[in-house]
Amino acid sequence: MSAADLVSRPTRNLFRTLMTGSTYGEIDRAFQDEGFAPSTTCTYEDSSVRRTRTQEYLETVDWTDPSHVTRVLRVFEWLLHGFEAPYTDRFLNSLRRDGYLIDKDTGHITPASPQFTVVSLANLKDPSAIREHLDRIQRAVIDDPALAIGSAKELIESTAKVILTELGRPINEKAKLPALAREAQEALGLHPTSRIPGPDSSDPVRKILGSVSGIVDGLAELRNKGYGTGHGQATARTGLRSRHAHLAVNASLTWCQLILDTLADPEAPRRKTP
């Protein structure tokens, strides 16, 4: 799967194959109900008009856009409703490898970890490093908690460096993660010690920012104690579960989302700095 694609091409192809068991009208209705129109330039050829029609819709999905993917996941759920398990196993297993959870009772499909909105990354000159970490996290969060924790730490590190680069600030390559994250927050006027007019310097927001800053310290320590990849281990990591990975990943995403949204916000604190 491309680092930019949120659902892999093999998964999409498996879904297209499954649509042999649907109808032309049901395919139209499911995609159109979610706001998708078929491609008028699709060159895909198939003996099945249902598979061809499915491909026409799949080609109009922006697979890098979380909002598009959320809508198409609902299409998947609707069109697969009532299909017997053995028939859908390969497709659902492929979705799981892409980083999605499937509720066995309802068929509801959700990402194993949150994704940044397109707006958060849209203004970055080069978001490729951030996308790469997100892709790695999404694949690891369930089956490889140590890799997910290590990647969550690296996601914060890359995001901090991207912010400093975007703002034309120097990067100390020898700086530890907490120091690097602090530099990024201070550059954006988001550190709890910042004093900028507006809600960002109010006591409640400063308390929250203090907690957000603590995310970085805790995550760095968790990884450094051997619960995340990046350091060789003398013994196995015992007791590490996917819930620990979810904790670390969701915490890192909270920090990064705040940082990226603040960079993109024209009314952000840094723009009010004298």
Side-chain angles (χ1 to χ4, degrees), residues 188-211:
L188 291 170
L190 277 180
H191 196 267
T193 59
S194 301
R195 290 292 183 180
I196 296 173
D200 292 280
S201 289
S202 67
D203 286 341
V205 172
R206 288 174 62 220
K207 287 179 181 178
I208 295 172
L209 289 175
S211 298

Side-chain angles (χ1 to χ4, degrees), residues 44-86:
Y44 175 76
E45 295 181 359
D46 197 301
S47 60
S48 166
V49 295
R50 289 166 287 187
R51 292 195 296 266
T52 301
R53 190 60 165 174
T54 300
Q55 184 62 29
E56 289 173 356
Y57 282 106
L58 294 178
E59 289 191 8
T60 64
V61 177
D62 182 351
W63 298 101
T64 70
D65 184 339
S67 64
H68 267 228
V69 172
T70 296
R71 286 156 49 205
V72 85
L73 291 177
R74 291 197 291 264
V75 174
F76 290 170
E77 293 170 10
W78 178 260
L79 287 174
L80 293 179
H81 181 71
F83 279 38
E84 294 183 3

Side-chain angles (χ1 to χ4, degrees), residues 113 116 129-141 144-159 177 219-220 222-223 227-231 237 245 248-253 256:
S113 61
F116 293 139
I130 293 175
R131 290 189 184 280
E132 181 181 341
H133 292 309
L134 287 172
D135 182 58
R136 189 178 299 117
I137 287 168
Q138 189 179 48
R139 291 171 176 270
V141 71
D144 194 342
L147 178 58
I149 290 169
S151 298
K153 176 262 181 186
E154 291 168 5
L155 174 63
I156 290 180
E157 185 174 10
S158 289
T159 301
L177 180 62
L219 190 55
L222 182 66
R223 183 259 192 179
Y227 290 109
T229 55
H231 290 300
R237 299 178 180 91
V249 167
N250 289 332
S252 70
L253 287 167
C256 294

Side-chain angles (χ1 to χ4, degrees), residues 188-189 195-201 265-274:
L188 291 170
R195 290 292 183 180
I196 296 173
D200 292 280
S201 289
D265 184 2
E267 297 297 321
R270 71 182 179 89
R271 302 184 190 274
K272 301 175 184 178
T273 304

